[in-house]
C-alpha cells in the first residue's frame, strides 16, 4: 500500500483571525506539522480554496451568511487569506490542488494541480495572473489523476473544515476507490453538531476514524 496525506484547506481565512475563522484552525496546522515531522508518507498534498467568483457560495452583498451554504468572502485567489497558515510546515508538501475558482469547491477532488508543481515549497510568486486564473496550468491533473500517477491507494485526511471540505474530500475519496482514514485529532469543524454528524457519515461510507498517535 502507498499512502498519501491530504491536508485540506489549512488557510489563513479558516484559522483564527481569518474571515471564516474555524476555532482550533491554527492548532490544527501546528499539529499537522508535528505529524509531518514524525511520519513518512509516500506523498503529501494540500488543497486550497481558491475563489475568484464562486457565485452564491459567498453571501450576497449586505446579506447575512447562513454558515451552512453561504459564507463570508474567504480565500479569494492571491490574497493573504488564501495563503496556507504559517503554522503549517510546507517543506514536505509535494503538490497543491486549487479548487473553487467559480464554484463552492468543497471537495479536494475538484482541485487541480497548482502551478508550479511544488507551489507550497516557497515558490508561490509564480501563481499566475492577477485574477488567479493562470494559477492552474492548462491540462493540470486533478487530485485523483495525480494520486494515481503517484501509485497511491490509501489516503490520510486532515485539515479544515470537518463538516464541509474534509467531509466532501473524504466522501469523494471513498467514491473514487481509495482507502480513507480521517485523522480525528487533526481536523477542525465549523459547527460541533454538524462535525459529529459528518464524522458518522464518513464512517458509514467506509472511512476509518483514527487518532494520529495511533498511526
Ligand atoms: C469550507 C466553508 C466554506 C471548508 C470552505 O474549507 O471546509 N468551509 N468554504
Amino acid at each position: 500500500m502507498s499512502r498519501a496525506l491530504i491536508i485540506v484547506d489549512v488557510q489563513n481565512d479558516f484559522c483564527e483571525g481569518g474571515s471564516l475563522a474555524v476555532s482550533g484552525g491554527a492548532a490544527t496546522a501546528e499539529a499537522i506539522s508535528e505529524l509531518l515531522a514524525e511520519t513518512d508518507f509516500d506523498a503529501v498534498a494540500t488543497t486550497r480554496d481558491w475563489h475568484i467568483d464562486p457565485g452564491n457560495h459567498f453571501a450576497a452583498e449586505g446579506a447575512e451568511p447562513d454558515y451552512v451554504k453561504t459564507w463570508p468572502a474567504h480565500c479569494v485567489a492571491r490574497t493573504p487569506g488564501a495563503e496556507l497558515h504559517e503554522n503549517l510546515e510546507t517543506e514536505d508538501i509535494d503538490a497543491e490542488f486549487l479548487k473553487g475558482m467559480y464554484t463552492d469547491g468543497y471537495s479536494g477532488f475538484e482541485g487541480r494541480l497548482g502551478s508550479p508543481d511544488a507551489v507550497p515549497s516557497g515558490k508561490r510568486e509564480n501563481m499566475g495572473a492577477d485574477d488567479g486564473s493562470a494559477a492552474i496550468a492548462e491540462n493540470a491533473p486533478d487530485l485523483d489523476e495525480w494520486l494515481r500517477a503517484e501509485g497511491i491507494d490509501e489516503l490520510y485526511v486532515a485539515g479544515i473544515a470537518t463538516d464541509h471540505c474534509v467531509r466532501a474530500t473524504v466522501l469523494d475519496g471513498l467514491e473514487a476507490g481509495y482507502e480513507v482514514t480521517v485523522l480525528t485529532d487533526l481536523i477542525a469543524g465549523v459547527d460541533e453538531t454538524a462535525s459529529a454528524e459528518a464524522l458518522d457519515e464518513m464512517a458509514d461510507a467506509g472511512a476509518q476514524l483514527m487518532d494520529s498517535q495511533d498511526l
Side-chain angles (χ1 to χ4, degrees), residues 154-168:
E154 208 177 349
L155 309 182
Y156 290 80
V157 181
I160 310 170
T162 312
D163 36 350
H164 297 283
C165 290
V166 169
R167 170 187 173 276

Side-chain angles (χ1 to χ4, degrees), residues 148-196:
R148 288 185 197 286
E150 295 285 316
I152 300 296
D153 39 25
E154 208 177 349
L155 309 182
Y156 290 80
V157 181
I160 310 170
T162 312
D163 36 350
H164 297 283
C165 290
V166 169
R167 170 187 173 276
T169 303
V170 165
L171 294 178
D172 277 357
L174 291 165
E175 186 81 33
Y178 297 93
E179 281 194 24
V180 183
T181 300
V182 184
L183 297 172
T184 50
D185 55 322
L186 303 181
I187 52 178
V190 173
D191 180 83
E192 211 173 309
T193 307
S195 294

Side-chain angles (χ1 to χ4, degrees), residues 31-51:
I32 293 171
S33 297
E34 283 165 21
L35 173 74
L36 280 169
E38 289 163 5
T39 312
D40 268 341
F41 291 92
D42 299 296
V44 179
T46 51
T47 68
R48 275 206 275 166
D49 248 4
W50 192 253
H51 292 312

Side-chain angles (χ1 to χ4, degrees), residues 1-213:
M1 300 288 277
S2 283
R3 61 185 193 174
L5 178 68
I6 311 290
I7 303 167
V8 176
D9 296 8
V10 179
Q11 293 168 268
N12 287 331
D13 272 343
F14 295 133
C15 295
E16 288 80 355
S19 67
L20 208 176
V22 173
S23 155
T28 297
E30 193 172 335
I32 293 171
S33 297
E34 283 165 21
L35 173 74
L36 280 169
E38 289 163 5
T39 312
D40 268 341
F41 291 92
D42 299 296
V44 179
T46 51
T47 68
R48 275 206 275 166
D49 248 4
W50 192 253
H51 292 312
I52 296 171
D53 183 7
N56 54 14
H57 184 59
F58 287 176
E61 194 111 356
E64 273 300 306
D66 66 9
Y67 288 84
V68 180
K69 286 216 147 86
T70 65
W71 306 92
H74 59 275
C75 301
V76 172
R78 291 175 62 81
T79 65
E83 292 294 307
L84 296 173
H85 192 271
E86 63 180 5
N87 290 1
L88 183 66
E89 182 53 67
T90 57
E91 200 176 76
D92 294 327
I93 294 171
D94 300 309
E96 167 163 80
F97 292 82
L98 306 178
K99 62 188 175 65
M101 298 208 311
Y102 300 102
T103 62
D104 293 347
Y106 288 114
S107 169
F109 282 86
E110 293 178 38
R112 293 175 57 204
L113 187 65
S115 173
D117 292 6
V119 176
S121 312
K123 302 195 179 69
R124 254 175 273 150
E125 67 272 17
N126 284 330
M127 287 307 283
D130 280 347
D131 72 351
S133 57
I136 297 176
E138 261 182 72
N139 307 321
D142 63 25
L143 177 60
D144 184 50
E145 289 164 341
W146 185 82
L147 290 167
R148 288 185 197 286
E150 295 285 316
I152 300 296
D153 39 25
E154 208 177 349
L155 309 182
Y156 290 80
V157 181
I160 310 170
T162 312
D163 36 350
H164 297 283
C165 290
V166 169
R167 170 187 173 276
T169 303
V170 165
L171 294 178
D172 277 357
L174 291 165
E175 186 81 33
Y178 297 93
E179 281 194 24
V180 183
T181 300
V182 184
L183 297 172
T184 50
D185 55 322
L186 303 181
I187 52 178
V190 173
D191 180 83
E192 211 173 309
T193 307
S195 294
E197 285 169 3
L199 282 171
D200 285 346
E201 186 183 0
M202 293 184 259
D204 286 347
Q208 301 260 94
L209 308 184
M210 188 190 278
D211 193 292
S212 66
Q213 303 300 320

